[in-house]
Amino acid sequence: MPELPNLQNTKTPMPVQDPSVRAHNFNEVATGYTEEMAINEAKRCLNCKHMPCVGGCPVKVYIPEFIAKVRAGDFDGAYEVIQKSSRLPAICGRVCPQETQCESKCVRGIKGEPVAIGRLERFVADYHNKKTNQVVNDIQKNGIKVAIVGSGPSGLACAGELAQKGYEVTVFEALHKLGGVLAYGIPEFRLPKKILDLEISNLKNMGVKFETNVVIGRTITVDELLGGGYGAVFIGTGAGLPRFMGIDGEGLNGVYSANEFLTRSNLMQAYENNSETPIMKGGNVAVVGGGNVAMDAARTALRLGANKVYIIYRRSMDEMPARKEEIEHAIEEGIEFKILTNPIEVLGHKNENDKKDPKNGFVRAIRCIKMELGEPDENGRRRPVEIPNSEFDIDVDVVIMAIGTSPNPLIKNTTGGLDVNKYGCIVVDEQTFKTSKDYVYAGGDAVTGAATVISAMGAGKTAGNAIDELLKNNK
Amino acid sequence: MFQIVNKKMLNNTVCEMDVLAPMVAKKARAGQFIILRVDEGGERIPLTVAGCDENEGLVKIIFQIVGSTTEKLNQKNVGDSISDFVGPLGNPTEIENVKNACVVGGGVGCAIAMPVARALKNSGANVTSVIGFRSKDIVILEDEFKEISNNFYLTTDDGTYGEQGNVCVPLERLLASGTKFDKIYAIGPLIMMKFVVATAKKYNIPCIVSMNPIMIDGTGMCGCCRLSVNGKMKFACVDGPDFDGYGVDFDEAMWRNNMYKEFEAKKREETCNLFKKEVR
């Protein structure tokens, strides 16, 4: 007779650092389940036969199966189950938007909160990473070389998939550090760099080679890779080109793209004392946008020592695309949300009497206009409309634009026969992620435009399987 | 790691290095740049490629010791290595269909102007070079320019060498006397490029400028190097670094380059103090 499920209607709470403390440090916000908490939460799972949660997961983790192992206290067994589908569980458990994926399908969510699948995944991965000295993998190599362009989520997932199947995988990275957006974008307090490094070293142990400081399209082209012995190339270059609003004053000192602000803080470690990289700290900061990147930028600014941080978003809280948890954390930490508000100009210091005034050219305020929600647009979101004569200024020293990114045109411009759509996204076959060019596959934000880490991983994994289908006959 | 194979001081504050980076050496063309990091935890700085030896796999860089990172780079000697060196980045300078070219270089900008002048020469163009410096003791690359130029002019602000004045003095004289150029290439301090553009405009001659804003990744990711060209936002790393000088908002570019002036001065001082201690 199996044990009855835990009927508690809410998730086992995640221990977190107190908001007033964490607003001033870069340590991880959520500290993770204990073994007892994990087992308690695992007991909430009904182990549904039709497994709706798995359908909500882009990489199809066998969720009920791994949760059953957690429930039995077999954490190593749980890790093995997850490993069959995902090579990067410590990352996914932290940054996936579970509320719109696996957890949104959970039967327990109908009458209460769904099972905390993400928290359990994180627990299992952390348990494994803490305990094991990396297992040396003795995978039989097949001698076929595959090149992966970009070491972000899609590239890492594709590399893991192919390495597991015996391919000799080389990942090329333009920056000096591996991880793509996981390294330069997502802040330390949400994804500690040591977690990322551990997941990457797991791949290295599987035989994956990494080459930093190589810009594909410049240092070496996709065609040169194909001509140089690589059987196939996977492009996972992301959507790195930042967008600006096109309003006056965006060239002022103190206006950053979220990419620049986060890159300075994360990748270039400006958050550390005595860093070599400058960043504007303190003062008042306005972050424009309502996505995860906006939350990351706002919370980073706060931790760097800002007096006051505003999120400026043109729609209402209900339309905000960021993960619910990130919005809640931001509110708890004291970030002020200026919703239904849109910037129309960034205002700068301009001392006409003293051209040498050091403040000249720096931001002093952001001019905004109030918005109201009108008719739904093509995506069903209600379109924000300006309210006439409602302009007002907010005094700020720093403005961070977090309004999205576009794919980098470098690969397209240097690779013959690679089709892109009108937004610059690489066009692929939906089943295989094959591009218009033979032996070249692509996935992640380079294909979809800015999306999530896990959908990129899903694409990398699927493309890895398709590449295997293509090349395995050459073995 | 990338090894330093040759090192030479061109004047008291300008250093030339050959770095072993075969993949970059194979691809780099005049006008392109690289980004380097001296050591772990260091800054990424862009430097224009001053020349390449494809056979030896060497990339030549020339830099002025102005900040903490260039100070640290200058402490490295032949045989030492730097941790990161990536490129070539940016678009090569367009030299096609130019028969009569004028290359204007200012200060350490001459290090960038030199490969452009040489590329023009090699493409068969008639090259007039105008290079300017503050003073005699910081003149660099004079012989190299002389060698490849059909006409050569050198100015110093204080008149201690060559003609007294800035580069616009001989340039204006040439243009006023009816010399026709298909294109002028101006490479140097922003203020110099601004005035060269103004001079070129007066005589309706196209003028290309090479912009050197603050950068981080150099691949189009951060938007830090943005500038306004004909009222449109451009990124120097992927759209440039060369732009039509007529359209560039130099005043904006000048204030943007001063964004971290205070921080940089402080870091420079800290680094200098550190090295002094080590020497002692």
Side-chain angles (χ1 to χ4, degrees), chain A residues 213 224 241 250 255-257 408, chain B residues 27 84 219-220 222 226 260:
Chain A
N213 294 318
E224 286 169 324
L241 216 59
E250 286 184 307
V255 180
Y256 291 95
S257 73
N408 193 315
Chain B
K27 287 288 172 70
D84 302 281
T219 61
C222 75
R226 64 190 183 274
Y260 300 109

Side-chain angles (χ1 to χ4, degrees), chain A residues 279-322:
Chain A
I279 193 164
M280 285 179 69
K281 300 175 183 179
N284 295 341
V285 178
V287 179
V288 182
N292 287 322
V293 176
M295 300 304 139
D296 285 346
R299 297 169 70 200
T300 296
L302 189 71
R303 284 159 173 76
L304 286 171
N307 297 329
K308 185 85 204 154
V309 181
Y310 304 94
I311 293 263
I312 299 178
Y313 181 57
R314 62 194 180 132
R315 292 181 159 102
S316 76
M317 290 306 265
D318 292 339
E319 286 84 18
M320 216 172 260

Side-chain angles (χ1 to χ4, degrees), chain A residues 172-243:
Chain A
F172 296 96
E173 168 58 47
L175 291 172
H176 58 266
K177 188 164 182 0
L178 298 170
V181 72
L182 306 169
Y184 73 74
I186 299 179
E188 181 75 14
F189 57 85
R190 213 145 73 72
L191 177 65
K193 296 295 162 280
K194 67 169 199 286
I195 302 281
L196 172 63
D197 294 344
L198 261 174
E199 300 276 48
I200 289 171
S201 71
N202 284 338
L203 291 174
K204 285 182 182 162
N205 287 334
M206 289 169 69
V208 177
K209 284 195 204 116
F210 289 92
E211 298 271 357
T212 53
N213 294 318
V214 180
V215 181
I216 301 299
R218 290 277 188 222
T219 317
I220 186 166
T221 63
V222 171
D223 288 309
E224 286 169 324
L225 289 172
L226 288 172
Y230 289 95
V233 176
F234 174 79
I235 300 170
T237 44
L241 216 59
R243 286 197 203 124

